[in-house]
């Protein structure tokens, strides 16, 4: 396809949402083939023996002469023992392999993922296990949730050690890999966002606090950790990205066949900004800006990304709400400065994310101090970042229980550093210019924190609502609640509050109780943001069920899930 200049449209196409199915089990399937007799046309050696002894005159075994009758029977019995021995050897080999696999998996189950609190076998990280017990060789692959996993080297070391500790193992080969970009919401998203695993908002709701500096340096830190990363500059009125990075191609291009935007790139990170559209800063009204942002974000060919960092514009108006509603944000990072004035606006942003149920997982307090003459000075005061953490704790205590699930949001201090400011003007991020400096170390800690928190959030959201076919019940464990309960599928379906079930003007119930059979079962359940699930029913209807609504429905009691043992 030929590349042409980017043309922005005032209208945005919203694709119809669809559903993706997910694997039903997180356990690894290990199959052990059963040995079969290599004698053609024979059902079993025992049956052959019975025929040859009890009916020697049958057409299959013609009656021999008396002198050779004994010899024939002996030969037949010998053949039977040989076949039995061969089958027995195969069974022994299979049992030995099964025992060896069990030994390896048991050893690997000693390694606990600190984020999930579960061993790596149960997490489904162990793939492609191959064993040659005769030569003492074991090889397998550890597939982690993200290539930026901060403890992947530790996992590899521990896996080598625990397997090498088995008495019969002489050689261990461990390969490290990461899952492909796998968004929780899949085809429910616009095409350009369907291969992005995590979307992170960097927000402050206050201009001039260093939000863009944090967003850019965080993105390049994650890229340095091995992740595939993109940056979306959502500030149309005053885009910062063209100043902070120096891509060779400073203009976005359009694929005329797909009518999609091709992002520019700098040091392996994909970049999209209105500043790269060749139109400078926007002078337009809010609705037009929202359309431009939606078009830039959703029609870009991002490809497979582990993290898309969105540099949010200041404020909590239409543009911010559009961003939060168009894309399912995984988490948010809040940027502030020590002044009370900055904290007031930060509080507005925290309230917005709280209402949209987007977890705020970290707070960055920028320009908080500088060192001189062996002392540390705080020219703008202290405490804004700490207050933001407390505020987040209060807002989310009743919704996400941050303290129990994610811990109090992590606070990171950035000093007043001339090089940090200069790097933003030079087009080379500080973490790239000085990867071993103090600022880079802080961003490294922030990157590790973000990777860990996103993994926790994804794991909890993806397993919040599931269907247990054995008891015909929907199991609910909402991320914002400690309780777990069961709902009858028919009850959930009958409580749909969409326009297809309830008249929007009169409130009259259009969906009748008898319209839904008691034995109805959901075909698929998928997360929809951090606030609801989308349930697909056999009649093709897709129901949006918010967690808050599920918690108010009539529950099943006294139902015990059936455990099926293999």
């Amino acid at each position: 396809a030929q590349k042409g200049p980017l043309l922005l449209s005032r209208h945005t196409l919203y694709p119809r949402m669809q559903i993706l199915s997910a694997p039903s089990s997180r356990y690894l399937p290990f199959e052990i083939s059963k040995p079969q007799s290599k004698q053609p046309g024979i059902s079993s050696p025992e049956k052959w023996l019975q025929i040859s002894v009890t009916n020697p005159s049958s057409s299959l075994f013609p009656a021999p002469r008396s002198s050779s009758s004994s010899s024939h029977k002996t030969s037949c019995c010998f053949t039977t023992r040989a076949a039995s021995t061969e089958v027995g050897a195969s069974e022994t080999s299979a049992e030995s392999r099964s025992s060896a696999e069990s030994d390896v998996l048991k050893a690997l189950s000693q390694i606990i993922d600190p984020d999930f609190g579960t061993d790596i076998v149960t997490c489904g990280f162990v793939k492609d296990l191959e064993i040659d017990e005769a030569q003492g060789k074991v090889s397998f692959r550890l597939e982690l949730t993200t290539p930026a996993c901060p403890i992947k080297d530790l996992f590899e070391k521990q896996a080598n050690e625990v397997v090498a500790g088995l008495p019969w193992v002489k050689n261990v080969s461990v390969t490290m890999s990461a899952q492909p970009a796998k968004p929780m919401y899949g085809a429910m998203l616009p095409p350009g966002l369907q291969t992005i695993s995590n979307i992170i908002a960097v927000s402050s709701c206050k201009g001039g606090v260093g939000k863009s500096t944090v967003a850019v340096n965080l993105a390049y830190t994650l890229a340095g950790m091995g992740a595939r990363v993109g940056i979306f500059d959502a500030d149309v009125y005053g885009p910062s990205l063209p100043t902070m990075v120096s891509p060779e191609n400073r203009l976005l291009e359009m694929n005329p066949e797909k009518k999609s935007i091709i992002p520019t790139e700098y040091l392996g990170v994909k970049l999209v900004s209105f500043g790269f559209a060749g139109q400078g800063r926007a002078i337009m009204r809010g609705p037009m800006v929202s359309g431009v942002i939606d078009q830039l974000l959703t029609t870009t060919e991002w490809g497979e990304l582990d993290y898309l960092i969105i540099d949010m514009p200041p404020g909590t108006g239409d543009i911010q709400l559009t961003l939060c509603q168009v894309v399912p944000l995984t988490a948010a990072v809040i940027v502030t400065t020590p002044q009370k004035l900055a904290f007031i606006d930060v509080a507005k942003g925290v309230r917005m994310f709280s209402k949209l149920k987007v977890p705020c997982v970290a707070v960055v307090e920028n320009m908080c101090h500088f060192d001189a003459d062996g002392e540390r000075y705080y020219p703008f005061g202290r405490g804004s970042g700490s207050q933001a953490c407390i505020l987040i704790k209060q807002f989310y205590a009743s919704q996400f229980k941050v303290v129990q699930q994610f811990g109090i949001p992590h606070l990171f201090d950035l000093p007043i550093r001339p090089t940090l400011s200069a790097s933003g003007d030079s087009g080379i991020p500080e973490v790239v210019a000085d990867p071993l400096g103090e600022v880079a170390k802080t961003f490294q800690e922030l990157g590790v924190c973000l990777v860990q928190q996103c993994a926790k959030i994804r794991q909890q959201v993806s397993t919040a609502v599931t269907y247990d076919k054995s008891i015909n019940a929907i199991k609910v464990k909402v991320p914002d609640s400690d309780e777990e309960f069961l709902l009858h599928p028919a009850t959930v379906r009958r409580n749909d509050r969409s326009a297809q079930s309830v008249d929007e003007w009169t409130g009259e119930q259009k969906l009748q109780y008898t319209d839904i059979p008691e034995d109805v079962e959901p075909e698929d359940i998928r997360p929809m943001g951090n606030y609801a699930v989308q349930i697909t029913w056999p009649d093709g209807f897709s129901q949006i069920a918010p967690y808050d609504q599920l918690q108010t429905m009539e529950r099943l009691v006294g139902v015990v899930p059936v455990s099926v043992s293999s």
Side-chain angles (χ1 to χ4, degrees), residues 368-406:
C368 60
H369 61 78
F370 68 90
D371 297 328
D373 301 327
E375 294 187 22
R376 176 158 291 183
Y377 298 91
Y378 297 86
F380 302 119
R382 305 179 65 177
S384 176
S386 299
Q387 290 179 28
C389 286
I390 295 173
L391 183 66
I392 291 172
K393 176 183 174 182
Q394 292 173 347
F395 278 138
Y396 288 82
S398 61
Q399 296 184 10
F400 286 99
K401 295 192 180 298
V402 178
V403 178
Q404 291 84 358
Q405 294 187 12
F406 310 115

mmCIF file of all heavy atoms in Angstrom, residues 368-406:
data_model
loop_
_atom_site.group_PDB
_atom_site.id
_atom_site.type_symbol
_atom_site.label_atom_id
_atom_site.label_comp_id
_atom_site.label_asym_id
_atom_site.label_seq_id
_atom_site.Cartn_x
_atom_site.Cartn_y
_atom_site.Cartn_z
ATOM 1 N N CYS A 368 10.181 17.974 43.447
ATOM 2 C CA CYS A 368 9.923 17.995 44.894
ATOM 3 C C CYS A 368 11.123 18.483 45.710
ATOM 4 O O CYS A 368 10.934 19.003 46.810
ATOM 5 C CB CYS A 368 9.490 16.619 45.374
ATOM 6 S SG CYS A 368 10.692 15.316 45.101
ATOM 7 N N HIS A 369 12.339 18.341 45.190
ATOM 8 C CA HIS A 369 13.493 18.760 46.002
ATOM 9 C C HIS A 369 14.721 18.919 45.104
ATOM 10 O O HIS A 369 14.716 18.498 43.946
ATOM 11 C CB HIS A 369 13.783 17.738 47.104
ATOM 12 C CG HIS A 369 14.120 16.364 46.579
ATOM 13 N ND1 HIS A 369 15.359 16.043 46.067
ATOM 14 C CD2 HIS A 369 13.380 15.233 46.494
ATOM 15 C CE1 HIS A 369 15.365 14.787 45.684
ATOM 16 N NE2 HIS A 369 14.171 14.264 45.926
ATOM 17 N N PHE A 370 15.777 19.525 45.685
ATOM 18 C CA PHE A 370 17.091 19.543 45.035
ATOM 19 C C PHE A 370 18.158 19.491 46.124
ATOM 20 O O PHE A 370 17.913 19.847 47.283
ATOM 21 C CB PHE A 370 17.269 20.783 44.150
ATOM 22 C CG PHE A 370 17.359 22.078 44.903
ATOM 23 C CD1 PHE A 370 18.597 22.574 45.334
ATOM 24 C CD2 PHE A 370 16.214 22.813 45.185
ATOM 25 C CE1 PHE A 370 18.685 23.769 46.034
ATOM 26 C CE2 PHE A 370 16.303 24.007 45.878
ATOM 27 C CZ PHE A 370 17.526 24.495 46.300
ATOM 28 N N ASP A 371 19.317 18.994 45.749
ATOM 29 C CA ASP A 371 20.429 18.853 46.688
ATOM 30 C C ASP A 371 21.488 19.908 46.399
ATOM 31 O O ASP A 371 21.862 20.139 45.242
ATOM 32 C CB ASP A 371 21.045 17.459 46.575
ATOM 33 C CG ASP A 371 20.055 16.365 46.951
ATOM 34 O OD1 ASP A 371 19.198 16.619 47.820
ATOM 35 O OD2 ASP A 371 20.130 15.257 46.359
ATOM 36 N N ALA A 372 21.972 20.539 47.473
ATOM 37 C CA ALA A 372 23.037 21.543 47.341
ATOM 38 C C ALA A 372 23.810 21.632 48.649
ATOM 39 O O ALA A 372 23.220 21.602 49.738
ATOM 40 C CB ALA A 372 22.444 22.909 46.988
ATOM 41 N N ASP A 373 25.128 21.712 48.539
ATOM 42 C CA ASP A 373 25.996 21.839 49.710
ATOM 43 C C ASP A 373 25.748 20.732 50.731
ATOM 44 O O ASP A 373 25.761 20.955 51.944
ATOM 45 C CB ASP A 373 25.788 23.201 50.387
ATOM 46 C CG ASP A 373 26.085 24.365 49.444
ATOM 47 O OD1 ASP A 373 26.981 24.201 48.592
ATOM 48 O OD2 ASP A 373 25.398 25.393 49.549
ATOM 49 N N GLY A 374 25.476 19.537 50.230
ATOM 50 C CA GLY A 374 25.291 18.403 51.119
ATOM 51 C C GLY A 374 23.944 18.374 51.824
ATOM 52 O O GLY A 374 23.730 17.533 52.710
ATOM 53 N N GLU A 375 23.030 19.224 51.453
ATOM 54 C CA GLU A 375 21.712 19.243 52.080
ATOM 55 C C GLU A 375 20.622 19.135 51.020
ATOM 56 O O GLU A 375 20.840 19.422 49.847
ATOM 57 C CB GLU A 375 21.515 20.534 52.892
ATOM 58 C CG GLU A 375 22.441 20.657 54.090
ATOM 59 C CD GLU A 375 22.091 21.866 54.953
ATOM 60 O OE1 GLU A 375 20.924 22.323 54.860
ATOM 61 O OE2 GLU A 375 22.960 22.330 55.689
ATOM 62 N N ARG A 376 19.435 18.710 51.444
ATOM 63 C CA ARG A 376 18.293 18.585 50.543
ATOM 64 C C ARG A 376 17.286 19.684 50.862
ATOM 65 O O ARG A 376 16.888 19.867 52.026
ATOM 66 C CB ARG A 376 17.645 17.212 50.677
ATOM 67 C CG ARG A 376 16.395 17.008 49.843
ATOM 68 C CD ARG A 376 16.113 15.542 49.597
ATOM 69 N NE ARG A 376 17.126 14.962 48.703
ATOM 70 C CZ ARG A 376 17.094 13.699 48.270
ATOM 71 N NH1 ARG A 376 16.114 12.892 48.645
ATOM 72 N NH2 ARG A 376 18.036 13.246 47.471
ATOM 73 N N TYR A 377 16.876 20.392 49.818
ATOM 74 C CA TYR A 377 15.953 21.512 49.995
ATOM 75 C C TYR A 377 14.622 21.206 49.277
ATOM 76 O O TYR A 377 14.602 20.585 48.217
ATOM 77 C CB TYR A 377 16.551 22.799 49.419
ATOM 78 C CG TYR A 377 17.819 23.230 50.103
ATOM 79 C CD1 TYR A 377 19.067 22.804 49.644
ATOM 80 C CD2 TYR A 377 17.770 24.071 51.221
ATOM 81 C CE1 TYR A 377 20.236 23.187 50.270
ATOM 82 C CE2 TYR A 377 18.947 24.466 51.849
ATOM 83 C CZ TYR A 377 20.172 24.026 51.377
ATOM 84 O OH TYR A 377 21.342 24.421 52.015
ATOM 85 N N TYR A 378 13.537 21.679 49.882
ATOM 86 C CA TYR A 378 12.195 21.495 49.332
ATOM 87 C C TYR A 378 11.594 22.880 49.075
ATOM 88 O O TYR A 378 10.838 23.408 49.899
ATOM 89 C CB TYR A 378 11.326 20.701 50.308
ATOM 90 C CG TYR A 378 11.824 19.291 50.555
ATOM 91 C CD1 TYR A 378 12.788 19.038 51.539
ATOM 92 C CD2 TYR A 378 11.347 18.229 49.808
ATOM 93 C CE1 TYR A 378 13.254 17.754 51.764
ATOM 94 C CE2 TYR A 378 11.802 16.928 50.022
ATOM 95 C CZ TYR A 378 12.760 16.704 51.006
ATOM 96 O OH TYR A 378 13.215 15.432 51.223
ATOM 97 N N PRO A 379 11.891 23.488 47.924
ATOM 98 C CA PRO A 379 11.485 24.880 47.687
ATOM 99 C C PRO A 379 9.973 25.083 47.574
ATOM 100 O O PRO A 379 9.473 26.174 47.816
ATOM 101 C CB PRO A 379 12.175 25.229 46.369
ATOM 102 C CG PRO A 379 12.373 23.923 45.695
ATOM 103 C CD PRO A 379 12.627 22.939 46.781
ATOM 104 N N PHE A 380 9.234 24.030 47.195
ATOM 105 C CA PHE A 380 7.786 24.179 47.024
ATOM 106 C C PHE A 380 6.991 23.505 48.146
ATOM 107 O O PHE A 380 5.796 23.282 48.015
ATOM 108 C CB PHE A 380 7.346 23.590 45.674
ATOM 109 C CG PHE A 380 8.043 24.216 44.503
ATOM 110 C CD1 PHE A 380 8.823 23.448 43.655
ATOM 111 C CD2 PHE A 380 7.926 25.574 44.246
ATOM 112 C CE1 PHE A 380 9.471 24.019 42.577
ATOM 113 C CE2 PHE A 380 8.579 26.155 43.173
ATOM 114 C CZ PHE A 380 9.354 25.384 42.327
ATOM 115 N N GLY A 381 7.671 23.186 49.222
ATOM 116 C CA GLY A 381 6.981 22.517 50.314
ATOM 117 C C GLY A 381 6.967 21.012 50.125
ATOM 118 O O GLY A 381 7.587 20.471 49.197
ATOM 119 N N ARG A 382 6.267 20.331 51.005
ATOM 120 C CA ARG A 382 6.226 18.872 50.973
ATOM 121 C C ARG A 382 4.797 18.395 51.224
ATOM 122 O O ARG A 382 3.986 19.104 51.814
ATOM 123 C CB ARG A 382 7.159 18.268 52.031
ATOM 124 C CG ARG A 382 8.589 18.741 51.937
ATOM 125 C CD ARG A 382 9.452 18.142 53.018
ATOM 126 N NE ARG A 382 9.594 16.701 52.922
ATOM 127 C CZ ARG A 382 10.353 15.963 53.728
ATOM 128 N NH1 ARG A 382 11.038 16.545 54.700
ATOM 129 N NH2 ARG A 382 10.428 14.668 53.574
ATOM 130 N N GLY A 383 4.505 17.188 50.738
ATOM 131 C CA GLY A 383 3.263 16.549 51.144
ATOM 132 C C GLY A 383 2.190 16.402 50.089
ATOM 133 O O GLY A 383 1.227 15.666 50.302
ATOM 134 N N SER A 384 2.298 17.063 48.939
ATOM 135 C CA SER A 384 1.241 16.942 47.939
ATOM 136 C C SER A 384 1.113 15.507 47.440
ATOM 137 O O SER A 384 0.005 14.982 47.298
ATOM 138 C CB SER A 384 1.515 17.878 46.758
ATOM 139 O OG SER A 384 0.561 17.705 45.752
ATOM 140 N N GLY A 385 2.240 14.867 47.178
ATOM 141 C CA GLY A 385 2.199 13.483 46.718
ATOM 142 C C GLY A 385 1.611 12.554 47.753
ATOM 143 O O GLY A 385 0.797 11.677 47.440
ATOM 144 N N SER A 386 1.996 12.743 49.003
ATOM 145 C CA SER A 386 1.458 11.906 50.078
ATOM 146 C C SER A 386 -0.039 12.120 50.232
ATOM 147 O O SER A 386 -0.803 11.182 50.462
ATOM 148 C CB SER A 386 2.170 12.218 51.393
ATOM 149 O OG SER A 386 3.555 11.954 51.293
ATOM 150 N N GLN A 387 -0.470 13.388 50.112
ATOM 151 C CA GLN A 387 -1.895 13.682 50.196
ATOM 152 C C GLN A 387 -2.658 13.020 49.055
ATOM 153 O O GLN A 387 -3.778 12.535 49.241
ATOM 154 C CB GLN A 387 -2.117 15.194 50.160
ATOM 155 C CG GLN A 387 -1.652 15.921 51.421
ATOM 156 C CD GLN A 387 -1.877 17.416 51.322
ATOM 157 O OE1 GLN A 387 -2.777 17.863 50.623
ATOM 158 N NE2 GLN A 387 -1.061 18.186 52.012
ATOM 159 N N ALA A 388 -2.049 12.994 47.866
ATOM 160 C CA ALA A 388 -2.692 12.344 46.727
ATOM 161 C C ALA A 388 -2.862 10.850 46.993
ATOM 162 O O ALA A 388 -3.899 10.259 46.674
ATOM 163 C CB ALA A 388 -1.875 12.568 45.457
ATOM 164 N N CYS A 389 -1.857 10.222 47.600
ATOM 165 C CA CYS A 389 -1.961 8.799 47.940
ATOM 166 C C CYS A 389 -3.104 8.561 48.927
ATOM 167 O O CYS A 389 -3.876 7.614 48.792
ATOM 168 C CB CYS A 389 -0.638 8.297 48.533
ATOM 169 S SG CYS A 389 0.695 8.092 47.337
ATOM 170 N N ILE A 390 -3.195 9.440 49.933
ATOM 171 C CA ILE A 390 -4.267 9.303 50.935
ATOM 172 C C ILE A 390 -5.626 9.495 50.271
ATOM 173 O O ILE A 390 -6.591 8.766 50.557
ATOM 174 C CB ILE A 390 -4.059 10.310 52.078
ATOM 175 C CG1 ILE A 390 -2.765 9.987 52.832
ATOM 176 C CG2 ILE A 390 -5.254 10.317 53.020
ATOM 177 C CD1 ILE A 390 -2.387 11.028 53.870
ATOM 178 N N LEU A 391 -5.706 10.486 49.378
ATOM 179 C CA LEU A 391 -6.962 10.756 48.689
ATOM 180 C C LEU A 391 -7.378 9.554 47.845
ATOM 181 O O LEU A 391 -8.550 9.151 47.845
ATOM 182 C CB LEU A 391 -6.809 11.990 47.803
ATOM 183 C CG LEU A 391 -8.066 12.446 47.051
ATOM 184 C CD1 LEU A 391 -9.109 12.933 48.040
ATOM 185 C CD2 LEU A 391 -7.724 13.537 46.055
ATOM 186 N N ILE A 392 -6.442 8.967 47.130
ATOM 187 C CA ILE A 392 -6.738 7.791 46.316
ATOM 188 C C ILE A 392 -7.204 6.649 47.210
ATOM 189 O O ILE A 392 -8.172 5.945 46.888
ATOM 190 C CB ILE A 392 -5.497 7.372 45.504
ATOM 191 C CG1 ILE A 392 -5.206 8.426 44.430
ATOM 192 C CG2 ILE A 392 -5.693 6.007 44.864
ATOM 193 C CD1 ILE A 392 -3.898 8.210 43.706
ATOM 194 N N LYS A 393 -6.558 6.497 48.334
ATOM 195 C CA LYS A 393 -6.948 5.448 49.275
ATOM 196 C C LYS A 393 -8.389 5.650 49.733
ATOM 197 O O LYS A 393 -9.180 4.700 49.821
ATOM 198 C CB LYS A 393 -5.998 5.453 50.478
ATOM 199 C CG LYS A 393 -6.375 4.467 51.579
ATOM 200 C CD LYS A 393 -5.429 4.599 52.750
ATOM 201 C CE LYS A 393 -5.883 3.717 53.918
ATOM 202 N NZ LYS A 393 -5.004 3.876 55.092
ATOM 203 N N GLN A 394 -8.763 6.897 50.020
ATOM 204 C CA GLN A 394 -10.118 7.184 50.484
ATOM 205 C C GLN A 394 -11.145 6.948 49.390
ATOM 206 O O GLN A 394 -12.174 6.318 49.602
ATOM 207 C CB GLN A 394 -10.195 8.632 50.975
ATOM 208 C CG GLN A 394 -9.390 8.893 52.243
ATOM 209 C CD GLN A 394 -9.341 10.369 52.601
ATOM 210 O OE1 GLN A 394 -9.704 11.229 51.798
ATOM 211 N NE2 GLN A 394 -8.893 10.667 53.812
ATOM 212 N N PHE A 395 -10.860 7.444 48.178
ATOM 213 C CA PHE A 395 -11.820 7.323 47.091
ATOM 214 C C PHE A 395 -12.029 5.872 46.680
ATOM 215 O O PHE A 395 -13.133 5.474 46.333
ATOM 216 C CB PHE A 395 -11.371 8.138 45.876
ATOM 217 C CG PHE A 395 -11.715 9.595 45.970
ATOM 218 C CD1 PHE A 395 -10.813 10.561 45.583
ATOM 219 C CD2 PHE A 395 -12.943 9.998 46.447
ATOM 220 C CE1 PHE A 395 -11.120 11.905 45.662
ATOM 221 C CE2 PHE A 395 -13.267 11.339 46.533
ATOM 222 C CZ PHE A 395 -12.350 12.292 46.137
ATOM 223 N N TYR A 396 -10.952 5.094 46.704
ATOM 224 C CA TYR A 396 -11.040 3.737 46.184
ATOM 225 C C TYR A 396 -11.293 2.706 47.284
ATOM 226 O O TYR A 396 -11.457 1.534 46.976
ATOM 227 C CB TYR A 396 -9.757 3.367 45.439
ATOM 228 C CG TYR A 396 -9.601 4.063 44.117
ATOM 229 C CD1 TYR A 396 -9.114 5.361 44.043
ATOM 230 C CD2 TYR A 396 -9.948 3.435 42.943
ATOM 231 C CE1 TYR A 396 -8.972 6.009 42.834
ATOM 232 C CE2 TYR A 396 -9.803 4.068 41.717
ATOM 233 C CZ TYR A 396 -9.314 5.358 41.673
ATOM 234 O OH TYR A 396 -9.178 5.995 40.465
ATOM 235 N N ALA A 397 -11.317 3.136 48.536
ATOM 236 C CA ALA A 397 -11.476 2.171 49.626
ATOM 237 C C ALA A 397 -12.768 1.385 49.486
ATOM 238 O O ALA A 397 -12.804 0.177 49.729
ATOM 239 C CB ALA A 397 -11.438 2.888 50.974
ATOM 240 N N SER A 398 -13.837 2.047 49.082
ATOM 241 C CA SER A 398 -15.122 1.370 48.966
ATOM 242 C C SER A 398 -15.328 0.744 47.600
ATOM 243 O O SER A 398 -16.315 0.053 47.378
ATOM 244 C CB SER A 398 -16.261 2.372 49.212
ATOM 245 O OG SER A 398 -16.216 3.416 48.251
ATOM 246 N N GLN A 399 -14.398 0.964 46.669
ATOM 247 C CA GLN A 399 -14.594 0.462 45.315
ATOM 248 C C GLN A 399 -13.562 -0.586 44.931
ATOM 249 O O GLN A 399 -13.906 -1.652 44.464
ATOM 250 C CB GLN A 399 -14.535 1.619 44.311
ATOM 251 C CG GLN A 399 -15.650 2.621 44.504
ATOM 252 C CD GLN A 399 -15.623 3.695 43.426
ATOM 253 O OE1 GLN A 399 -14.901 3.597 42.459
ATOM 254 N NE2 GLN A 399 -16.418 4.723 43.619
ATOM 255 N N PHE A 400 -12.304 -0.279 45.124
ATOM 256 C CA PHE A 400 -11.274 -1.224 44.717
ATOM 257 C C PHE A 400 -10.506 -1.821 45.888
ATOM 258 O O PHE A 400 -9.698 -2.703 45.702
ATOM 259 C CB PHE A 400 -10.282 -0.539 43.758
ATOM 260 C CG PHE A 400 -10.821 -0.326 42.399
ATOM 261 C CD1 PHE A 400 -11.320 0.897 42.015
ATOM 262 C CD2 PHE A 400 -10.850 -1.358 41.488
ATOM 263 C CE1 PHE A 400 -11.817 1.099 40.752
ATOM 264 C CE2 PHE A 400 -11.347 -1.177 40.211
ATOM 265 C CZ PHE A 400 -11.840 0.060 39.850
ATOM 266 N N LYS A 401 -10.744 -1.308 47.082
ATOM 267 C CA LYS A 401 -10.005 -1.786 48.246
ATOM 268 C C LYS A 401 -8.511 -1.824 47.919
ATOM 269 O O LYS A 401 -7.846 -2.853 47.964
ATOM 270 C CB LYS A 401 -10.509 -3.158 48.684
ATOM 271 C CG LYS A 401 -11.958 -3.113 49.168
ATOM 272 C CD LYS A 401 -12.334 -4.391 49.869
ATOM 273 C CE LYS A 401 -13.775 -4.339 50.344
ATOM 274 N NZ LYS A 401 -14.031 -3.300 51.306
ATOM 275 N N VAL A 402 -7.987 -0.654 47.589
ATOM 276 C CA VAL A 402 -6.592 -0.554 47.143
ATOM 277 C C VAL A 402 -5.641 -1.094 48.192
ATOM 278 O O VAL A 402 -4.649 -1.752 47.874
ATOM 279 C CB VAL A 402 -6.253 0.918 46.816
ATOM 280 C CG1 VAL A 402 -4.806 1.050 46.401
ATOM 281 C CG2 VAL A 402 -7.152 1.410 45.697
ATOM 282 N N VAL A 403 -5.947 -0.841 49.451
ATOM 283 C CA VAL A 403 -5.038 -1.246 50.514
ATOM 284 C C VAL A 403 -4.870 -2.758 50.518
ATOM 285 O O VAL A 403 -3.763 -3.292 50.580
ATOM 286 C CB VAL A 403 -5.550 -0.760 51.884
ATOM 287 C CG1 VAL A 403 -4.624 -1.236 52.993
ATOM 288 C CG2 VAL A 403 -5.655 0.753 51.901
ATOM 289 N N GLN A 404 -6.010 -3.501 50.409
ATOM 290 C CA GLN A 404 -5.927 -4.956 50.468
ATOM 291 C C GLN A 404 -5.395 -5.550 49.171
ATOM 292 O O GLN A 404 -4.609 -6.495 49.181
ATOM 293 C CB GLN A 404 -7.318 -5.552 50.752
ATOM 294 C CG GLN A 404 -7.832 -5.275 52.154
ATOM 295 C CD GLN A 404 -8.516 -3.912 52.269
ATOM 296 O OE1 GLN A 404 -8.574 -3.166 51.302
ATOM 297 N NE2 GLN A 404 -8.996 -3.603 53.455
ATOM 298 N N GLN A 405 -5.809 -5.008 48.021
ATOM 299 C CA GLN A 405 -5.496 -5.657 46.752
ATOM 300 C C GLN A 405 -4.201 -5.152 46.123
ATOM 301 O O GLN A 405 -3.396 -5.935 45.639
ATOM 302 C CB GLN A 405 -6.643 -5.451 45.766
ATOM 303 C CG GLN A 405 -7.909 -6.158 46.196
ATOM 304 C CD GLN A 405 -8.973 -6.085 45.117
ATOM 305 O OE1 GLN A 405 -8.687 -5.717 43.998
ATOM 306 N NE2 GLN A 405 -10.183 -6.436 45.467
ATOM 307 N N PHE A 406 -4.015 -3.857 46.094
ATOM 308 C CA PHE A 406 -2.862 -3.310 45.390
ATOM 309 C C PHE A 406 -1.875 -2.613 46.319
ATOM 310 O O PHE A 406 -0.810 -2.195 45.893
ATOM 311 C CB PHE A 406 -3.332 -2.298 44.328
ATOM 312 C CG PHE A 406 -4.407 -2.834 43.441
ATOM 313 C CD1 PHE A 406 -5.665 -2.285 43.444
ATOM 314 C CD2 PHE A 406 -4.156 -3.907 42.619
ATOM 315 C CE1 PHE A 406 -6.663 -2.783 42.625
ATOM 316 C CE2 PHE A 406 -5.149 -4.412 41.795
ATOM 317 C CZ PHE A 406 -6.399 -3.845 41.803
#
